[in-house]
Amino acid sequence: MSINLKNLKESNEFLNILFDNITSALFILDKNARIENINESFTLLFQKREEKILGNLCGNALGCQFAVEENSLCGETSHCENCILKRDILQTMSEKVPANRRKLSRVFYSDIQKETKHFLYSTRYIQYYGKEYILVIVDDHTELETSRNKLEEQNDTLRVLNEQKSKFLGIAAHDLRNPIGAINSFSNLLLDSYKDFSDKEKIEFMELIKESSQFSLNLINELLDISKIELGKLELHKKNQNIQEIIKKSIKINKIFAKKKNIQINFTPTVVVTSIYIDKNKIEQVLHNLLSNAIKYSNPETTISVSITKKDTSIEISVTDQGVGIPEQELKNLFTEFGTTSAKTTANESSTGLGLAIAKKIVNGHGGKIMAHSKLGEGSEFLFTLPLN
């Protein structure tokens, strides 16, 4: 039977068209693992010119991270013994057994960039005119894998937020139970037995009710603040403000509380800094938190020092007390939500455990930093920076 050369030529052209139009990346290796042929999907996937591929060893042609970074031939890199693609190619060649759909994730260098690729591949043994070849079929799953990883990250974030929410609710419920219980008990006592108590006792009950309700209100306000900030709703209304006047005002308010423990608050600015672009109310909130904490954790008859210094591109405000101090290993807990330490207030003052976390987010929102230094029994220094421009 004679061979129709025209039909053979046409059939080869048709097969080449099919080869180039298959969406999977295809490449054919000889028995030495050098690439003999590729399709167009291969060049699109690995972004390499044909002259850099044909005749080269598999890893070098693909732009394998290890071959490129170690400037080595495929088969001689530090990773080759662990390369599943190399193992499957050799096994397919020697045992003529195909490798079915394996996953591979690796960094590859193309002609234009370095990129992590995720793909599924399979190998097939081919014998043609006495020569042996391996056909490798590659399906790119990089976009799918990237989406899956992002989804996993989002799920992890949601899990953390859900745990945080549960923690918030648990701690809030625990912290609110006592003050609300006190309000309920003392108000019932006053309502049921109003005439049985002296005026002094009534005033004491009302003071306890006021303190408990104030604590509850503070906790609820701070929970709302931290929730808004966590949702990215920290709204800053910045204007040029006189920072020294803001500090003086905050000290004046807190001196009322300090007076109960005969604590002095001294303000010693080392430079004159007046105008700075900030949200006045939010920075007052930070200062109030630092000053009220200093008072709570200071012994009577001590001094709290407030200072302001100018750096190259920022100002630094410091609040230093002579209080009980904080163990060094516990400092990392200070600026976290409901962060606790073993330090105790000196007059049984209450604390929500949220103030410093909110202060950190406010300072960070202004482009500054907040930190603490402390030694047990020697007092603490809390300081924060604010950019000048």
Side-chain angles (χ1 to χ4, degrees), residues 59-60 63-74 76-80 83 105-109:
N60 301 103
C64 169
Q65 173 187 10
F66 302 98
V68 174
E69 292 179 357
E70 296 176 23
N71 195 23
S72 299
L73 292 174
C74 177
E76 298 177 4
T77 75
S78 61
H79 182 74
C80 284
C83 179
S105 297
R106 188 174 301 169
V107 173
F108 291 92
Y109 286 82

Side-chain angles (χ1 to χ4, degrees), residues 154-168 230-231:
Q154 289 169 349
N155 286 337
D156 288 340
T157 302
L158 287 173
R159 276 193 290 271
V160 170
L161 289 173
N162 192 48
E163 288 170 6
Q164 220 171 35
K165 180 204 72 175
S166 299
K167 183 180 178 182
F168 274 22
E230 290 293 346
L231 288 170

Side-chain angles (χ1 to χ4, degrees), residues 314-315 360 362-371 384-387:
S314 64
I315 61 165
K360 180 180 179 180
I362 290 171
V363 171
N364 288 351
H366 278 80
K369 294 181 180 179
I370 189 167
M371 60 211 84
F384 65 96
T385 63
L386 293 169

Side-chain angles (χ1 to χ4, degrees), residues 109-142:
Y109 286 82
S110 68
D111 285 344
I112 56 176
Q113 64 183 349
K114 173 183 177 181
E115 185 181 4
T116 299
K117 293 187 182 297
H118 307 274
F119 52 73
L120 294 173
Y121 73 88
S122 58
T123 60
R124 293 290 184 273
Y125 174 80
I126 298 172
Q127 192 172 31
Y128 183 69
Y129 278 96
K131 291 187 177 182
E132 296 178 309
Y133 301 95
I134 300 297
L135 171 65
V136 184
I137 306 161
V138 177
D139 291 306
D140 185 18
H141 281 218
T142 301

